[in-house]
Amino acid sequence: MFSLPLRPAAALLSRKVLAQNLKRIQREVKTQTQLHRPDARVMAMVKADAYGHDLSLILPELWKIGVRDFAVASLSEGIQARELSSKARILILGGTFDWRKVS
């Protein structure tokens, strides 16, 4: 039987690179075009525990560097994001009600 060697996987994130990437994205988004406006804001997609990078670490870092809008997948993720930042604007991408009660 074919098997792959077991080895751990790791993702190393740099606060400096995160800030540099955000500034670059903000600069591009704020460029006046038919699709962009100078007052546009960046919304960080932090669903699925910030894509497995730990929301409790990522959201505060994004907040420190100026992100105020966050998107999550579910109400429970929204609650977690709210606990991390009481002033953040949070968009829940999924439903927030019990589908079993819909007739």
Side-chain angles (χ1 to χ4, degrees), residues 1 6 9 13 15 21 23 43 46 70 79 102:
M1 174 178 263
L6 298 177
L13 302 178
R15 289 178 175 95
N21 288 344
K23 287 183 189 339
M43 176 177 284
V46 294
F70 299 90
I79 291 168
V102 176

Side-chain angles (χ1 to χ4, degrees), residues 16-26:
K16 180 181 175 184
V17 173
L18 180 65
Q20 288 172 344
N21 288 344
L22 177 63
K23 287 183 189 339
R24 187 175 200 174
I25 291 166
Q26 287 172 326

Side-chain angles (χ1 to χ4, degrees), residues 38-51:
D39 60 344
R41 296 189 310 258
V42 172
M43 176 177 284
M45 304 298 287
V46 294
K47 64 189 196 101
D49 198 28
Y51 292 90

Side-chain angles (χ1 to χ4, degrees), residues 18-79:
L18 180 65
Q20 288 172 344
N21 288 344
L22 177 63
K23 287 183 189 339
R24 187 175 200 174
I25 291 166
Q26 287 172 326
R27 192 170 47 248
E28 291 297 319
V29 168
K30 290 175 185 263
T31 302
Q32 181 73 39
T33 68
Q34 289 180 334
L35 298 174
H36 303 107
R37 296 174 25 177
D39 60 344
R41 296 189 310 258
V42 172
M43 176 177 284
M45 304 298 287
V46 294
K47 64 189 196 101
D49 198 28
Y51 292 90
H53 296 297
D54 193 346
L55 181 64
S56 66
L57 298 175
I58 299 299
L59 190 144
E61 285 301 317
L62 291 168
W63 184 268
K64 283 181 200 174
I65 56 179
V67 176
R68 298 295 179 258
D69 304 309
F70 299 90
V72 297
S74 66
L75 180 59
S76 61
E77 287 181 353
I79 291 168

Side-chain angles (χ1 to χ4, degrees), residues 75-87:
L75 180 59
S76 61
E77 287 181 353
I79 291 168
Q80 183 184 6
R82 175 61 65 225
E83 289 170 350
L84 293 167
S85 177
S86 63
K87 295 181 180 180

